[in-house]
């Protein structure tokens, strides 16, 4: 130790200074008092997902617009079990079992591709992990890479990475494996060295020694791989002295990246590793918390001295380009990622899926033609916000514009107290465009990230932390996460209104927000009240109308709509009067007496309407609803004289700046048109889009107040759906729960207004229209547009849901409602 002190006296002094800072943070409540540790790798933690069915998990999910994902494949085979491992697997050669697993893995890929509706998967990056994915014979490795590659489109894949064990890369077979992987396009290896001390490796029960580890690195470098090597600190038998020796050996190896893991004693995977029992039996063999923290600081200092910089958390590389694309894409960019194999994990926009940890169940589900998913989690808005804070902040930085794109909320409106305290203690720094960890914050990145976990997912109980200002359970209610208290400076707690106290138009902003964000039992209570109001005014009748989409030509250029005039990829159409009248006759033949004529803003439709509307009213005895956009005052008066009884003109958002930015005209014009429609004697329908990019809670509350004040005859909301050929095509869709809550609030606030369950609900979530009826809607629109034109009328998405009469009957029955055909009151609004 004396020699060590002489060589590294300055380094040890700095390490103790850092330790003093950590102890101070522990006293303030940031770090668990006993020093235990659970890494912030996924949020929520993967083993906390409830059971879920495949159908429920994939309801409403579609691939990103560009079809790109990241891929993980898991191989649960190892020569022997390491003491620190927390994942189930098979040990020893197990060649017959490996062949069976390869059979199942190939079938699983095919099932997943059918579920996604693709012939090949298009990855940005690929990670093959385990276990030991190279603990296959060369023949088995070739077989896997062959069937895997047939199912992959490598056009956009920039990194193909294997996590490997040193022992599988030495000797004749090791060189064969290196060549095989190279032949199939693998360009990066992560070698699980874990230590360069033979005594520590023996305690770890690693199947290699130091010389084997060095040889595996040298072999891999000769084959031209980009190389990353991994180490664990804080392991039994590690000391500060031998840890320094390990890092000094590591930095002179021919590698591009060095990764440091703190020992995980408590289970993070589906199996509690032997390491916990080892700690219980021989706690003295473990470095203390103080020594572990010093090891981390010392390693970081040595790595930086040799030109390795922390470009991703706990990952040190000489050049930024050498970090793991898979990790960056998943944790920093929050891109979709799919996993194959036992215990494999998928992250899909707003949901997680986890494959079974049981070999028998894995094989049985695949043989039955099902994905081996047995657990999953679909995030609501609150959890989406937490996820979009935790992973980017822990690993790199939160980009505010991207955060808002992913969540629909500005970062500056969420977690205001927590962010303020973390800045006060020098753990994060913030500017107008981003938020990131400071040097001190990066050192305790996992604990800073855990500040943003909801209390149900915290790794330790509340009393495990000191009662300081950084206690992770403090300032952590849903209203803290979602920024409820930004409205009018109000800080009072809310509760569900009494049954006789639902005066929504006169509620304050916080009370409306409380209802807008209702989930669970609170949401169901909201829906029960909405259904009671509907029953009082409309009995148990769901009202039907038949829509004919007469033109997809539009002179507007709205950023959210694929019918925008600048979309040159859309095949345009305009129906002639005879076709429209024929479709209208088909509507009335079913007993539906409301004909809804809908179009883009196509002025050349007006002469057709002059001919069609009177004919429908006179010859078919039907009411006509028009939805053809902005016109002048005289044109609306003419529509009314022709016989149109109602007109739909949605305002989309009451945020004047946002409207102008997306629609490229003034909101005042839209509101003036709505007033002209009412003055012409037609009934008016209007509504908004829930979940538009950049939309805030203030915007949504303003939307509700506008609708309550205008008191339209029909009112609707539609969840935002990203549409191909628009500037918003890569944005996430709106939250269906938000749309359902708006339906309920419209019903309660407007009472006798007609409110549709729009087809966009079905597009975003299978069963969505039934959910809309259960939230208080009472109108369904059946599509009678000639089939040749339907798919080109893209108000919602390229893969729109077409409502037919049978579907309407089924969901009305499921909601306990009857269809009011022939005795239909005037119908409501869709677009």
């Amino acid at each position: 130790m004396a020699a060590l002190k002489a060589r590294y006296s300055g380094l040890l002094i700095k390490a103790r200074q850092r330790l003093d800072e950590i102890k101070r943070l522990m006293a303030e409540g940031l770090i668990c008092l006993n020093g235990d540790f659970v890494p912030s790798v996924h949020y929520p933690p993967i083993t906390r997902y409830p059971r879920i069915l495949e159908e429920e998990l994939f309801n409403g999910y579609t691939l990103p617009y560009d079809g790109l994902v990241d891929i993980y494949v898991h191989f649960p085979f190892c020569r022997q079990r390491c003491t620190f491992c927390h994942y189930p697997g098979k040990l020893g050669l197990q060649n017959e079992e490996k062949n069976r697993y390869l059979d199942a893995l190939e079938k699983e890929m095919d099932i997943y591709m059918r579920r996604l509706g693709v012939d090949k998967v298009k990855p940005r990056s690929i990670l093959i992990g385990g276990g030991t994915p190279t603990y296959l014979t060369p023949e088995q490795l070739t077989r896997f890479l062959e069937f895997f590659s047939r199912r992959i489109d490598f056009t956009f894949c920039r990194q193909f990475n294997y996590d490997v064990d040193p022992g599988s890369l030495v000797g004749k077979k090791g060189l064969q494996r290196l060549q095989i992987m190279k032949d199939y396009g693998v360009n990066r290896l992560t070698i699980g060295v874990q230590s360069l001390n033979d005594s520590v490796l023996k305690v770890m029960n690693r199947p290699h020694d130091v010389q084997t580890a060095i040889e595996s690195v040298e072999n891999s470098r000769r084959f031209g791989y980009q190389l990353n090597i991994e180490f664990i600190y804080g392991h039994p038998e590690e000391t500060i002295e031998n840890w320094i020796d390990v890092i000094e050996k590591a930095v002179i190896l021919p590698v591009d990246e060095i990764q440091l893991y703190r020992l995980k004693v408590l289970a993070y995977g589906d199996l509690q590793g032997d390491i916990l029992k080892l700690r219980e039996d021989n706690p003295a063999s473990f470095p203390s918390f103080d020594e572990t923290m010093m090891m981390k600081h010392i390693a970081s200092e040595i790595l930086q001295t040799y030109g390795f910089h922390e470009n991703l958390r706990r990952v040190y590389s000489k050049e930024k380009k050498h970090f793991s694309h898979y990790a960056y894409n998943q944790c920093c960019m929050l891109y979709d990622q799919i996993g194959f194999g036992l215990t494999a994990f998928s992250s899909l926009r707003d949901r997680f899926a986890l494959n079974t940890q049981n070999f028998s169940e894995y094989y049985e589900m695949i043989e039955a033609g099902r994905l081996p998913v047995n657990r999953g989690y679909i995030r609501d808005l609150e959890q989406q916000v937490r996820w979009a804070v935790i992973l980017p902040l822990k690993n790199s930085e939160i980009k505010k514009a991207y955060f808002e794109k992913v969540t629909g909320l500005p970062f500056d409106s969420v977690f205001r107290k927590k962010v303020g305290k973390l800045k006060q203690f020098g753990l994060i720094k913030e500017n107008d465009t981003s938020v990131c960890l400071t040097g001190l914050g990066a050192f305790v990145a996992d604990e800073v990230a855990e500040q943003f976990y909801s209390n149900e997912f915290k790794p330790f109980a509340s009393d495990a932390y000191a009662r300081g200002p950084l206690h992770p359970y403090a300032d952590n209610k849903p209203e803290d996460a979602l920024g409820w208290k930004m409205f009018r400076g109000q800080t009072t707690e809310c509760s569900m209104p009494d049954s006789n106290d639902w005066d929504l138009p006169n509620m304050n902003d916080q009370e409306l927000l409380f209802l807008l964000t209702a989930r669970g039992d609170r949401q169901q209570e909201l829906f029960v009240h909405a259904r009671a109001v509907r029953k009082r005014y409309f009995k148990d009748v769901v009202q039907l109308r038949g829509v004919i989409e007469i033109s997809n030509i539009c002179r507007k250029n709205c950023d959210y709509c694929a019918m925008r005039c600048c979309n040159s990829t859309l095949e345009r159409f305009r129906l002639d009067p005879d076709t429209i009248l024929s479709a209208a006759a088909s509507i009335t033949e079913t007993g539906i007496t409301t004909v809804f004529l809908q179009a883009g803003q196509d002025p050349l439709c007006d002469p057709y309407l002059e001919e069609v509307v009177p004919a429908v009213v006179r010859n078919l005895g039907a009411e006509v609803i028009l939805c053809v956009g902005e016109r002048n005052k005289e044109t609306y008066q003419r529509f009314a004289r022709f016989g149109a009884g109602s007109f739909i003109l949605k305002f989309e958002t009451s945020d004047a700046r946002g409207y102008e930015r997306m629609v490229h005209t003034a909101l005042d014009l839209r509101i003036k048109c709505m007033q002209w429609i009412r003055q012409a004697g037609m009934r008016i329908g209007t509504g908004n889009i829930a979940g538009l990019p950049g939309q805030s809670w203030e915007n949504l509350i303003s939307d509700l107040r506008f609708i309550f004040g205008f008191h339209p005859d029909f009112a609707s909301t539609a969840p935002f759906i990203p549409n191909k050929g628009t500037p918003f095509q890569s944005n996430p869709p709106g939250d269906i729960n938000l749309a359902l809550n708006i339906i309920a609030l419209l019903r309660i606030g407007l009472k006798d207004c007609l409110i549709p369950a729009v087809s966009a609900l079905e597009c975003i979530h299978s069963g969505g229209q039934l959910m809309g009826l259960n939230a208080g809607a009472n109108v369904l629109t059946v599509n009678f547009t000639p089939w040749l034109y339907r798919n080109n009328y893209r108000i919602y998405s390229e893969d729109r849901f077409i409502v037919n009469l049978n579907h309407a009957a089924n969901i009305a029955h499921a909601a306990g409602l009857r269809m009011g055909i022939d005795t239909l009151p005037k119908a409501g609004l869709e677009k």
Side-chain angles (χ1 to χ4, degrees):
M1 192 67 177
L4 176 70
K5 287 182 178 178
R7 287 165 52 210
Y8 284 105
S9 58
L11 192 60
L12 290 170
I13 290 171
K14 287 184 178 180
R16 290 193 183 96
Q17 290 171 343
R18 177 50 54 91
L19 178 61
D20 289 341
E21 293 177 303
I22 300 308
K23 289 293 190 69
R24 177 174 61 86
L25 292 173
M26 181 181 282
E28 301 291 358
L30 182 75
I31 300 168
C32 182
L33 286 167
N34 67 8
D36 258 334
F37 163 78
V38 175
S40 299
V41 180
H42 303 294
Y43 181 79
I46 56 176
T47 54
R48 307 287 288 276
Y49 304 159
R51 304 286 293 192
I52 198 168
L53 295 175
E54 176 185 337
E55 290 77 11
E56 181 183 358
L57 181 70
F58 283 92
N59 259 343
Y61 175 74
T62 56
L63 279 168
Y65 164 68
D66 57 12
L68 295 178
V69 296
D70 295 270
I71 295 176
Y72 174 74
V73 184
H74 187 77
F75 282 90
F77 299 99
C78 288
R79 180 176 167 183
Q80 59 201 54
R81 183 174 300 286
C82 302
T83 57
F84 53 76
C85 180
H86 296 293
Y87 289 92
K90 299 278 187 179
L91 306 178
L93 287 177
Q94 299 274 355
N95 278 335
E96 191 172 323
E97 185 74 26
K98 290 173 186 173
N99 285 328
R100 183 183 183 190
Y101 188 80
L102 288 171
D103 290 340
L105 194 59
E106 184 172 9
K107 292 176 183 176
E108 182 190 358
M109 290 191 71
D110 290 337
I111 296 168
Y112 215 135
M113 289 191 297
R114 286 198 298 272
R115 165 61 75 179
L116 297 177
V118 297
D119 297 323
K120 288 190 173 185
V121 185
K122 298 194 298 183
R124 293 183 178 87
S125 72
I126 300 167
L127 174 61
I128 314 295
T132 308
T134 45
Y135 191 49
L136 303 174
T137 66
E139 293 76 20
Q140 289 170 330
L141 180 61
T142 300
R143 177 190 166 192
F144 163 68
L145 287 168
E146 173 61 29
F147 76 66
F148 178 78
S149 297
R150 287 201 310 270
R151 291 162 173 80
I152 300 298
D153 177 350
F154 286 96
T155 304
F156 301 97
C157 186
R158 298 294 175 262
Q159 192 178 83
F160 191 170
N161 188 47
Y162 251 83
D163 281 352
V164 294
D165 182 86
S168 65
L169 303 182
V170 298
K172 181 179 178 181
K173 287 187 177 179
L175 296 176
Q176 283 181 272
R177 293 186 184 102
L178 287 165
Q179 184 62 60
I180 292 166
M181 289 188 290
K182 197 72 177 176
D183 290 343
Y184 280 91
V186 178
N187 56 14
R188 185 177 193 266
L189 299 180
T190 298
I191 305 177
V193 172
Q194 313 309 1
S195 180
L196 289 172
N197 180 287
D198 281 332
S199 296
V200 175
L201 287 171
K202 186 175 181 180
V203 176
M204 289 178 172
N205 199 36
R206 293 293 287 165
H208 68 272
D209 57 16
V210 172
Q211 185 53 45
T212 300
I214 293 172
E215 185 180 348
S216 72
V217 169
E218 292 172 344
N219 287 347
S220 301
R221 180 56 80 184
R222 283 201 301 272
F223 277 85
Y225 288 102
Q226 183 188 125
L227 285 182
N228 167 41
I229 56 176
E230 298 176 331
F231 293 92
I232 294 176
Y233 63 95
H235 200 277
E237 302 302 331
E238 273 181 345
T239 65
I240 290 177
E241 187 170 12
N242 67 30
W243 175 244
I244 289 176
D245 183 64
V246 165
I247 297 302
E248 286 189 318
K249 289 176 180 176
V251 293
I252 61 174
L253 290 174
V255 299
D256 303 293
E257 183 179 82
I258 295 175
Q259 196 160 348
L260 304 180
Y261 288 97
R262 182 179 170 187
L263 176 68
K264 296 177 289 226
V265 176
L266 302 177
Y268 187 74
D270 281 312
L271 178 75
Q272 175 57 61
D274 298 336
I275 194 70
L276 180 59
K277 188 173 188 310
L278 184 59
R279 187 172 74 173
E280 292 169 350
D281 293 344
N282 188 14
S285 67
F286 284 69
S288 67
F289 173 79
D290 292 7
E291 289 170 325
T292 301
M293 294 298 98
M294 290 177 69
M295 287 178 185
K296 180 177 183 179
H297 183 78
I298 287 167
S300 179
E301 290 285 321
I302 296 174
L303 286 165
Q304 290 186 63
T305 299
Y306 282 84
F308 289 88
H309 301 286
E310 192 176 22
N311 290 315
L312 276 181
R313 201 62 59 226
R314 63 178 167 71
V315 177
Y316 296 80
S317 53
K318 289 185 175 180
E319 296 184 60
K320 194 171 183 178
K321 66 181 181 180
H322 289 145
F323 61 64
S324 165
H325 291 200
Y326 174 87
Y328 180 79
N329 290 347
Q330 182 192 140
C331 297
C332 302
M333 298 306 297
L334 306 175
Y335 289 150
D336 284 22
Q337 170 261 321
I338 60 177
F340 303 108
L342 195 84
T343 73
F345 167 89
S346 295
S347 177
L348 306 170
R349 189 181 305 124
D350 62 348
R351 63 201 73 189
F352 295 121
L354 191 63
N355 282 359
T356 177
Q357 71 276 33
N358 181 280
F359 277 86
S360 296
E361 185 178 28
Y362 177 74
Y363 295 138
E364 288 167 5
M365 293 179 77
I366 289 173
E367 284 304 312
R370 299 182 59 78
L371 288 176
V373 170
N374 70 350
R375 287 159 292 172
Y377 190 87
I378 301 175
R379 297 186 299 274
D380 61 16
L381 180 61
E382 179 193 345
Q383 298 302 340
Q384 186 82 346
V385 165
R386 293 181 185 275
W387 169 73
V389 169
I390 290 163
L391 294 187
L393 180 63
K394 185 264 174 86
N395 290 283
S396 180
E397 66 175 344
I398 299 170
K399 298 175 181 176
K400 291 184 176 180
Y402 193 69
F403 175 88
E404 187 166 347
K405 178 179 177 181
V406 169
T407 66
L409 297 177
F411 179 82
D412 294 341
S413 73
V414 305
F415 286 116
R416 289 298 86 200
K417 283 190 177 181
K418 274 192 182 292
V419 169
K421 288 179 181 178
L422 292 169
K423 288 163 68 174
Q424 177 187 342
F425 281 88
L427 296 169
I428 64 173
K429 52 188 177 181
E430 180 179 18
N431 58 35
D432 290 342
T433 61
S434 66
V435 184
C436 66
L437 298 171
T438 63
L440 177 59
F443 195 85
V444 288
D446 293 285
E447 288 84 0
V448 173
E450 284 161 7
Q451 287 278 311
F452 299 96
Y453 281 38
S454 65
N455 291 349
E456 65 183 303
F457 295 125
K458 297 287 188 195
F460 305 107
S462 177
D463 59 7
Y465 302 88
R467 290 289 168 184
L470 293 177
H471 193 285
Y473 285 77
D475 306 313
N476 204 43
K477 295 177 181 178
E479 55 262 43
D480 295 306
L482 297 173
W484 294 8
K485 296 179 181 179
M486 67 180 176
F487 294 102
R488 296 183 180 176
Q490 301 208 26
T491 58
T492 56
E493 296 292 335
C494 286
S495 60
M496 292 299 284
D498 294 333
S499 58
N500 296 319
D501 187 27
W502 287 80
D503 185 11
L504 266 63
N506 291 315
M507 282 185 176
N508 64 40
D509 288 346
Q510 188 177 1
E511 290 167 331
L512 283 176
L513 187 61
F514 180 82
L515 297 174
L516 266 176
T517 56
R519 298 293 186 272
D521 292 343
R522 196 170 80 216
Q523 185 182 47
Q524 293 309 311
E525 188 177 344
L526 176 66
F527 294 167
V528 166
H529 190 75
R531 292 196 297 271
V533 174
R534 181 184 64 196
K535 186 176 181 67
R536 188 159 67 248
Y537 285 88
F538 295 98
K539 307 302 180 188
D540 290 321
V541 176
V542 61
Q543 304 183 19
L544 300 186
R545 66 189 174 190
V547 66
I548 308 167
E549 293 145 346
I550 63 176
S551 172
N552 69 352
I553 298 168
C554 191
R555 62 182 177 85
K556 301 280 283 187
N557 202 33
C558 305
D559 289 352
Y560 48 79
C561 182
M563 295 195 303
R564 64 199 312 262
C565 61
C566 285
N567 184 4
S568 60
T569 66
L570 184 63
E571 185 178 345
R572 303 288 177 169
F573 72 87
R574 182 187 296 121
L575 301 185
D576 61 79
D578 288 343
T579 302
I580 298 170
L581 288 171
S582 176
S586 299
I587 293 173
T588 57
E589 285 169 6
T590 68
I592 298 174
T593 57
T594 300
V595 174
F596 177 30
L597 302 180
Q598 190 172 25
Q601 198 153 304
D602 179 5
L604 296 183
C605 283
D606 291 3
Y608 293 2
L609 294 174
E610 293 185 26
E611 179 179 346
V612 166
V613 172
V616 170
V617 173
R618 181 178 60 251
N619 300 334
L620 300 178
E623 180 201 4
V624 172
I625 301 175
L626 295 181
C627 179
V628 294
E630 295 170 351
R631 298 291 194 270
N632 59 37
K633 184 176 182 179
E634 292 71 25
T635 301
Y636 290 129
Q637 291 171 343
R638 232 178 21 254
F639 287 155
R641 287 198 302 272
F642 296 156
S646 306
F647 199 101
I648 310 293
L649 188 62
K650 289 181 66 176
F651 64 88
E652 315 297 20
T653 177
S654 59
D655 172 26
R657 288 185 179 179
Y659 181 93
E660 188 169 348
R661 187 173 62 250
M662 291 182 290
V663 180
H664 311 294
T665 55
L667 179 62
D668 287 347
L669 173 61
R670 181 63 58 104
I671 293 173
K672 187 175 292 185
C673 288
M674 291 165 59
Q675 293 167 342
W676 288 338
I677 291 164
R678 179 168 275 169
Q679 292 166 9
M682 291 184 286
R683 292 183 308 158
I684 175 71
T686 194
N688 73 337
I689 299 175
L692 281 166
Q695 190 176 57
S696 69
W697 289 115
E698 289 175 302
N699 298 152
L700 286 167
I701 288 173
S702 174
D703 290 353
L704 285 171
R705 293 203 183 285
F706 177 81
I707 296 172
F708 292 153
F710 190 76
H711 203 99
D713 301 284
F714 322 141
S716 80
T717 191
F720 168 71
I721 296 178
N723 215 329
K724 188 175 180 180
T726 73
F728 292 164
Q729 63 188 12
S730 298
N731 287 78
D735 178 9
I736 190 169
N737 283 297
L738 176 60
L740 295 173
N741 289 354
I742 293 174
I743 288 173
L745 294 178
L746 292 175
R747 169 59 62 218
I748 296 166
L750 297 174
K751 295 181 173 56
D752 61 349
C753 187
L754 292 168
I755 302 171
V758 298
S759 61
L761 295 170
E762 199 72 37
C763 185
I764 202 171
H765 192 291
S766 180
Q769 284 188 289
L770 174 58
M771 296 163 73
L773 293 178
N774 287 332
N778 69 325
V779 176
L780 292 172
T781 301
V782 181
N783 196 296
F784 286 84
T785 305
W787 68 268
L788 185 62
Y789 304 101
R790 289 178 184 176
N791 286 336
N792 285 322
Y793 196 83
R794 298 185 188 168
I795 54 171
Y796 292 140
S797 70
E798 185 176 21
D799 300 318
R800 59 184 302 210
F801 185 86
I802 304 296
V803 179
N804 58 34
L805 194 58
N806 186 57
H807 170 78
N810 287 338
I811 63 171
H813 177 74
L817 303 171
R818 57 187 176 84
M819 297 195 300
I821 292 177
D822 281 331
T823 58
L824 190 66
K826 310 304 185 183
L829 150 85
E830 163 97 349
K831 190 179 177 204

